[in-house]
Amino acid sequence: MTRTAIIHNTALGIAVLLLLAGMVHIARIGLGNLSYVRAQQEVSVWHRDGSQPSIDSILRAESAIQSALVRDHNNPDILTLAAQINGWKGFYLATQQNMPATAENHYRQSLDLLRQAIRLRPAHASTWALLAEYKTLLGERDGEWHLAKEKAMEFGGADIKLVNRMMAL
């Protein structure tokens, strides 16, 4: 085999490996998006009739969002939805078990997820709004709370529902 043929075959092999790696990455993101959509659909019915979600619904949403996080842990939409699901789980468990610390622990975990999402996408109004709301639930009206309200209003000023939520805090 000539030197040119070896170089050509090596380059072809590397190209095939890169193509396969790209296909695997695309498949992972696609599966992550499917899991995210499943979680989003589960959560979307929680507020329709004003009732609270059942623990079964929360666990289905949690399972789907965890699957999405495994596949794409740096997606701010997935992180934000994970924070909401985690917050609802904490609220549900705290009210059912009459243990406020359960809610507090979940709210703090939700804050961590929201901070990650904000680092990845700092101009997203609803994530800032959720951060302010969880800080309010924890009774933490500190500098981060003020910043979160300010950023939510700055980036979401055209969203009347969001503005009203921030004004109510």
Side-chain angles (χ1 to χ4, degrees):
M1 218 175 178
T2 67
R3 183 170 186 223
T4 305
I6 292 171
I7 292 172
H8 175 46
N9 287 341
T10 303
L12 184 61
I14 291 171
V16 168
L17 286 175
L18 288 173
L19 181 64
L20 288 173
M23 290 172 60
V24 168
H25 182 68
I26 289 169
R28 275 186 54 180
I29 290 173
L31 291 172
N33 283 340
L34 287 174
S35 296
Y36 170 76
V37 168
R38 276 196 346 259
Q40 199 173 37
Q41 286 174 335
E42 191 69 45
V43 170
S44 70
V45 298
W46 292 356
H47 305 290
R48 281 194 187 152
D49 60 2
S51 64
Q52 296 176 7
S54 69
I55 190 62
D56 290 335
S57 179
I58 291 169
L59 293 175
R60 281 191 302 271
E62 182 181 47
S63 175
I65 205 66
Q66 289 301 323
S67 179
L69 280 168
V70 165
R71 289 176 174 86
D72 192 3
H73 64 278
N74 284 323
N75 181 317
D77 291 324
I78 294 172
L79 290 164
T80 300
L81 187 58
Q84 292 176 287
I85 293 166
N86 190 59
W88 267 107
K89 183 178 180 183
F91 174 79
Y92 181 90
L93 293 174
T95 56
Q96 295 302 310
Q97 299 171 357
N98 196 24
M99 296 175 63
T102 302
E104 183 178 331
N105 290 337
H106 279 77
Y107 294 165
R108 291 199 185 287
Q109 292 169 1
S110 292
L111 285 173
D112 290 340
L113 291 166
L114 292 168
R115 288 178 187 118
Q116 275 183 268
I118 287 169
R119 276 193 298 279
L120 294 166
R121 186 177 51 199
H124 198 253
S126 64
T127 305
W128 282 107
L130 283 169
L131 185 79
E133 289 171 337
Y134 279 109
K135 296 285 285 183
T136 300
L137 290 170
L138 290 166
E140 297 178 1
R141 293 179 183 224
D142 54 12
E144 184 181 39
W145 176 80
H146 285 288
L147 177 66
K149 277 186 65 173
E150 179 183 299
K151 292 293 187 179
M153 298 284 278
E154 177 185 340
F155 297 129
D159 183 344
I160 299 303
K161 286 182 181 179
L162 186 139
V163 169
N164 289 338
R165 281 174 34 211
M166 293 300 95
M167 296 304 285
L169 293 181

